[in-house]
Amino acid sequence: MNAKRATELAIIANRVRKHALTGVYNAQAGHPGGSLSISDLLTLLYFEVMNVDPKNPRMADRDRLVLSKGHTAPALYGTLAERGFFPVEDVATLRKIDSYLQGHPDMKNIPGVDMSTGSLGQGVSVAGGMALSAKLDKKDYRVYAILGDGELEEGQVWEQAMFAPHYKLDNLTIFVDFNGLQIDGDITKVMNPTPIDKKFEAFGWNVIVCDAHSFDELSDAIEKAKACKGKPTAVIMKSVKGKNVSFMENNAAWHGSAPNEEQYNQAIRELDAKIAELEAAL
Amino acid sequence: MAKATRISYGEALVKYGSNENVVVLDADLSKSTKTEMFQKAYPERFINCGIAEANMMCVAAGLASTGKVAFASTFAMFAAGRAYEQIRNTIGYPGLNVKIGATHAGISVGEDGATHQCLEDLALMRTIPGMVVINPADDIEAQLAVKAAIEHNGPVYMRFGRLAVEDVNGEDYKFEIGKGVELKGGNDVTIIATGLMVQEALKAAETLKDDGIDARVINIHTIKPIDKDIIIKAAKETGAIVTAEEHYIMGGLGSAVTEVVCEGAPCPVKIIGTDRYGKSGKPAELFEEYGLTAENIANKVKEVIKMK
């Protein structure tokens, strides 16, 4: 990827982070930490990789994304809004009684959401079903799923880990948001799912380890996944929970709590500064 | 001719599953659920998921989200029981076009015993908004239920049995989701039954004639949405109801009927069903021990009439 495009995407990703925090702040509920760690990936997918049409969200042969870690909906909504699926102002209505932006993704009512998720471990299976459907119909759309690292503790993930290689779903790419933290703390202390790469390899996946905040590395991983035939790909992306907000980074306390006014303002200032810095570099 | 409704399920999948959009999933039980019939006819549209029901339900959801009519098949215990939350959150909540073919329901599984005798599936599935719940009584009804499920857009739970059951419907039988069927007229009391208890209800009505009791018999094949009209009419015209199901008395047909009756036309209702875990034994022995017989229905009819 050329440097200019990577910078443009980084700017969008930081706007997505702002939307995510705006939603969580206004709702005074939601999951900021894991939203910030996947914002770069979501931006890359929706602005560079996936064949989608904001004017026709249910286009038949579109690429699909399942946010298996559905609690990070604020980042998905921020991305979809930036991409034009719905008005950016609406992100501030997250979790409100009259809003269509439910606490977890709701495919029935939110343009651009391909699957309702929220109960961990289930989305990745759905993605397998979508990928299988494309194979049955000999269609070339691709399916992406994003999982949390803590989510790997759900047994159902490993049911799908067997299924996708068995049916040679090389049109399926999953991303593990490996930020190392879950609600109760360090994932290796709560219930250690590592080594994640070796587990997926043993289950028959094409495994790529990369930096979740490098558009170059993510982009390469996606290209390698597309080139890999006969196997699904698992991208284990090393990420920073709370990425780009200093006091949220690497802090499990920000898994599922909302910032107060002062914290929110500081977070927005930090993200605006990042955006200004990136814009200056363009 | 007596036939198990699981066989009807397999046959109907072949008969009505020629549509390219129909896919059938199973969890290593295709020989028992009879989806092997579909596999033989349409191998490219059969997906074995292995012994992984949670994954299977969500794979079915993914297939449905892309336009498939996805039948997910396993034993009732592992569908409604083990994968309840997958069905609720990933099939029911988004309203996806998944049809759950749940076989080996009820105590009539027999020798396998309590772990495999699902007696709570109707209750569990009934609580899911938008879920259609069908419990066919015989071969023709089971086959037509599969056809109707294909034509219906949205999630459907279908309950099939392992034990061969007698026909209660004729060859010209018309099936409609949500429409109860009056199999015998009568004005003293109404027996409302579902599944294999329908044949017992008809037998009970016959024996009650000897006691001078003219019992109406209604087959409720669709537990949800339930046919309120036929139930309220029966409550008003006969003034007493006995329900019969191969299911816990909590949450199934009896509960559904009393919900309707209490709100629409209160009258005494006796509920026949099980109240504890099942156990190993021959189906006929189990029916006897758990009171799922024509004789018990007749006894409850006499009790409920006294309450009028």
Side-chain angles (χ1 to χ4, degrees), chain A residues 119 122 125 133 137 160 167, chain B residues 48 55 66 68 85-86 90:
Chain A
S119 182
Q122 298 184 20
S125 298
S133 190
D137 292 342
Q160 179 57 218
Y167 284 103
Chain B
N48 205 326
N55 183 56
T66 59
K68 300 292 181 192
E85 203 249 64
Q86 280 76 12
T90 301

Side-chain angles (χ1 to χ4, degrees), chain A:
Chain A
M1 182 180 292
N2 72 54
K4 181 167 178 285
R5 186 60 183 148
T7 305
E8 287 168 356
L9 290 172
I11 292 167
I12 298 169
N14 283 314
R15 285 210 294 267
V16 166
R17 289 186 170 95
K18 286 175 64 180
H19 298 324
L21 292 177
T22 298
V24 173
Y25 168 66
N26 279 285
Q28 278 300 296
H31 299 80
S35 294
L36 301 186
S37 61
I38 61 165
S39 295
D40 294 318
L41 172 66
L42 283 168
T43 301
L44 178 68
L45 287 171
Y46 278 94
F47 282 82
E48 199 70 17
V49 175
M50 289 169 62
N51 173 31
V52 291
D53 179 3
K55 299 279 174 298
N56 183 13
R58 301 200 182 189
M59 182 173 69
D61 295 336
R62 69 188 185 278
D63 292 331
R64 286 156 166 87
L65 177 109
V66 181
L67 186 62
S68 200
K69 44 173 286 188
H71 55 281
T72 53
L76 178 61
Y77 298 165
T79 309
L80 293 172
E82 272 293 318
R83 188 71 173 80
F85 282 88
F86 48 82
V88 164
E89 306 81 74
D90 289 5
V91 299
T93 69
L94 174 74
R95 292 181 173 232
K96 302 276 191 202
I97 188 76
D98 294 326
S99 177
Y100 60 100
L101 296 177
Q102 294 297 298
H104 292 82
D106 170 11
M107 69 182 286
K108 280 180 90 169
N109 298 303
I110 307 176
V113 171
D114 291 319
M115 180 53 57
S116 304
T117 51
S119 182
L120 295 176
Q122 298 184 20
V124 64
S125 298
V126 173
M130 291 172 169
L132 178 64
S133 190
K135 290 280 178 194
L136 291 172
D137 292 342
K138 300 189 169 48
K139 295 200 166 161
D140 59 6
Y141 64 81
R142 298 187 64 82
V143 182
Y144 299 94
I146 306 175
L147 289 80
D149 48 7
E151 183 177 7
L152 303 181
E153 293 159 10
E154 286 283 2
Q156 185 176 340
V157 170
W158 303 101
E159 295 184 357
Q160 179 57 218
M162 265 183 279
F163 184 95
H166 183 84
Y167 284 103
K168 301 185 169 54
L169 302 180
D170 53 19
N171 54 349
L172 173 66
T173 303
I174 69 167
F175 300 87
V176 176
D177 180 22
F178 188 13
N179 60 40
L181 295 172
Q182 59 189 117
I183 298 180
D184 280 350
D186 181 336
I187 58 165
T188 62
K189 296 206 171 69
V190 176
M191 180 50 61
N192 189 358
T194 64
I196 298 169
D197 51 350
K198 290 196 171 61
K199 284 194 174 75
F200 277 100
E201 271 165 21
F203 277 78
W205 292 63
N206 173 42
V207 176
I208 300 167
V209 177
C210 77
D211 178 348
H213 309 300
S214 159
F215 289 103
D216 273 335
E217 288 191 26
L218 284 174
S219 189
D220 281 353
I222 291 166
E223 286 311 310
K224 282 181 187 151
K226 283 182 182 169
C228 177
K229 297 298 167 207
K231 280 180 173 189
T233 295
V235 179
I236 318 303
M237 36 171 231
K238 289 183 182 156
S239 65
V240 174
K241 195 158 189 155
K243 177 71 178 172
N244 282 1
V245 174
S246 60
F247 59 94
M248 288 185 177
E249 286 195 357
N250 294 312
N251 185 350
W254 289 102
H255 173 91
S257 46
N260 63 26
E261 188 180 0
E262 190 186 331
Q263 290 163 331
Y264 171 67
N265 289 336
Q266 187 190 331
I268 296 297
R269 273 198 304 276
E270 289 185 18
L271 289 165
D272 280 339
K274 283 250 167 19
I275 291 169
E277 197 181 304
L278 289 160
E279 281 174 345
L282 269 181

